[in-house]
Amino acid sequence: MKPKLRTILIGVTILFSILGLAVGIIYSPILDVDKVVVIGAPGRESEILDAAKIKIGEPLLVGSITSSDNRVAGLSWVESARLERKLTGTARLIVRSRTPVAYARTPEGSVGLIDKEGIVVAVVPTPPPGVPEIKNAGPVPVPGQKISAPDLVKVAASLGPLGARVAEIAITDRQATLYLTAGPEVRFGGLDRLAEKAKSAEAALGAIGTKGFSYLDVRVPSGPVTG
């Protein structure tokens, strides 16, 4: 056998040996799943684990585990999911939940909780405290789908701390009005500079209280007006 050919064959043999060894290690018990940990979803770990479908003893680095975070992200109330794999055999699912910024009522009397993207997080019997209702939002779709009220969602998502004071949000002729749980109505006017208007209203209500006037107008955020 010619020396050059012998060298090539030896090289190929070594390469396949290395590949075989790597595959053997990947599929060996040394690198399988010994434990699954869920972070960021207290009280809902079992739901996450059911969606992830990670099995103890399966390969840690290859196979169905590689899509487990995508399966978790498919849950309506999950904003994002990330899989971390430790060579100690631990698979960690780091979850960020969607936070409702508003709710809309269904004809049956239940409420759809809606996040900043307009996605229905869940449909529940009663609204949670500190979350405003968006009025005339149209039909509430099933969890995981978007509600057809982008302007109302946009206002709700801009409120920040002010949102805890708001009972209802309404838009008429593209003019937004907030109705507080206790106190005057807050007139936002047009759908521009919403975050500024929310901060202005929160500061004004903190400084002058909520009594003695029927409305607070923050259409010009730098110059709130009462009446």
Side-chain angles (χ1 to χ4, degrees):
M1 183 180 294
K2 294 181 179 181
K4 187 175 181 181
L5 180 58
R6 182 182 295 111
T7 301
I8 293 173
L9 289 175
I10 291 172
V12 171
T13 301
I14 292 172
L15 176 61
F16 276 98
S17 297
I18 293 172
L19 290 174
L21 179 62
V23 171
I25 291 173
I26 288 173
Y27 284 93
S28 76
I30 298 173
L31 286 179
D32 64 7
V33 177
D34 296 322
K35 182 170 63 174
V36 183
V37 177
V38 177
I39 299 172
R44 307 190 77 164
E45 290 86 355
S46 60
E47 189 175 351
I48 294 294
L49 293 174
D50 286 345
K53 297 179 180 178
I54 299 175
K55 297 178 181 178
I56 300 299
E58 73 173 297
L60 182 67
L61 302 179
V62 296
S64 66
I65 189 174
T66 58
S67 300
S68 59
D69 49 355
N70 291 331
R71 290 191 288 269
V72 171
L75 295 172
S76 64
W77 57 273
V78 173
E79 182 176 337
S80 65
R82 178 163 54 91
L83 172 66
E84 286 187 354
R85 287 167 282 195
K86 303 295 182 181
L87 295 183
T88 54
T90 300
R92 299 203 314 168
L93 288 163
I94 302 171
V95 178
R96 177 180 294 176
S97 301
R98 296 186 182 276
T99 301
V101 297
Y103 71 88
R105 295 191 182 276
T106 70
E108 296 75 26
S110 57
V111 299
L113 304 182
I114 302 157
D115 82 340
K116 63 184 179 181
E117 297 177 358
I119 292 175
V120 177
V121 178
V123 175
V124 297
T126 57
V131 177
E133 178 182 3
I134 51 177
K135 302 296 288 185
N136 301 316
V140 176
V142 298
Q145 295 186 3
K146 282 190 175 183
I147 196 165
S148 300
D151 288 342
L152 286 164
V153 173
K154 183 179 176 182
V155 174
S158 73
L159 297 183
L162 180 64
R165 293 175 176 259
V166 179
E168 298 177 1
I169 303 169
I171 295 178
T172 304
D173 297 327
R174 294 191 61 78
Q175 301 291 301
T177 303
L178 315 182
Y179 299 92
L180 304 184
T181 53
E185 66 181 49
V186 179
R187 298 176 181 176
F188 267 30
L191 304 179
D192 60 325
R193 304 170 68 185
L194 292 173
E196 291 182 57
K197 293 174 182 179
K199 290 179 181 178
S200 176
E202 178 72 5
L205 293 170
I208 63 178
T210 59
K211 297 181 180 179
F213 51 98
S214 61
Y215 68 83
L216 171 64
D217 190 322
V218 292
R219 285 178 291 182
V220 179
S222 59
V225 177
T226 60

